[in-house]
Amino acid sequence: MQYKANSAEDYINQVPEARQNALKKLTSVIKKNLPKGFEEGIQYGMIGYYVPHAIYPDGYHCNPKEPLPFLSVASQKNSINLYHMGIYANKDIHDWFVAEYPKYSKTKLDMGKSCIRFKKIDQIPYELIGALAQKISVKDWINTYETAIKK
């Protein structure tokens, strides 16, 4: 589902009321745990956390006018989704997350390459998401990104 929002707060205010508290808590956990340097805003119609141009002037290679994306949160039709580029780009982080997930949630992990879908919003593993958010610094993300696009 697409929302026309200008900020994370604006986005959350547009989603169905039953999901607003979960999104508020999820974005709060992310902001509390992300290393310094990432910024929050709206990117690709979702709440995004990205490396601003002030830190990485080249921006995203697909569209250099966009800051370098890292993590996004979206309310979709049947789930709240978390998109974490580090899970996609770093096998160690992917494997860590897959191994840790059952320790924090009784639901089966529903995951794509970078997308984690939470269909039962009352069972979002916030503590695990906080730990995941801490895993990659801005510097590490830029290095991982540049290594990947130079291949």
Side-chain angles (χ1 to χ4, degrees), residues 48-130:
Y49 300 89
Y50 46 79
V51 182
H53 284 107
I55 294 173
Y56 190 69
D58 291 349
Y60 186 41
H61 73 281
C62 294
N63 180 357
K65 291 180 183 178
E66 286 286 336
L68 179 61
F70 177 63
L71 192 154
S72 299
V73 176
S75 178
Q76 302 294 355
K77 183 177 179 180
N78 297 313
S79 58
I80 289 178
N81 294 355
L82 178 81
Y83 302 88
H84 190 283
M85 299 310 292
I87 283 179
Y88 176 75
N90 184 316
K91 184 174 175 3
D92 291 339
I93 290 177
H94 172 275
D95 293 347
W96 168 84
F97 186 82
V98 170
E100 288 295 307
Y101 187 85
K103 299 174 187 176
Y104 293 85
S105 181
K106 294 177 180 160
T107 62
K108 182 181 176 199
L109 178 58
D110 184 356
M111 187 170 146
K113 288 184 179 183
S114 72
C115 175
I116 307 157
R117 292 173 282 277
F118 301 109
K119 291 180 180 168
K120 295 183 178 182
I121 61 171
D122 61 327
Q123 295 182 23
I124 295 173
Y126 297 104
E127 188 178 341
L128 178 60
I129 300 306

Side-chain angles (χ1 to χ4, degrees), residues 26-65:
L26 186 57
T27 56
S28 175
V29 165
I30 291 167
K31 287 189 291 191
K32 180 180 172 189
N33 287 284
L34 269 180
K36 286 189 178 213
F38 290 105
E39 278 187 9
E40 178 186 75
I42 298 296
Q43 195 172 37
Y44 302 104
M46 300 177 279
I47 299 170
Y49 300 89
Y50 46 79
V51 182
H53 284 107
I55 294 173
Y56 190 69
D58 291 349
Y60 186 41
H61 73 281
C62 294
N63 180 357
K65 291 180 183 178

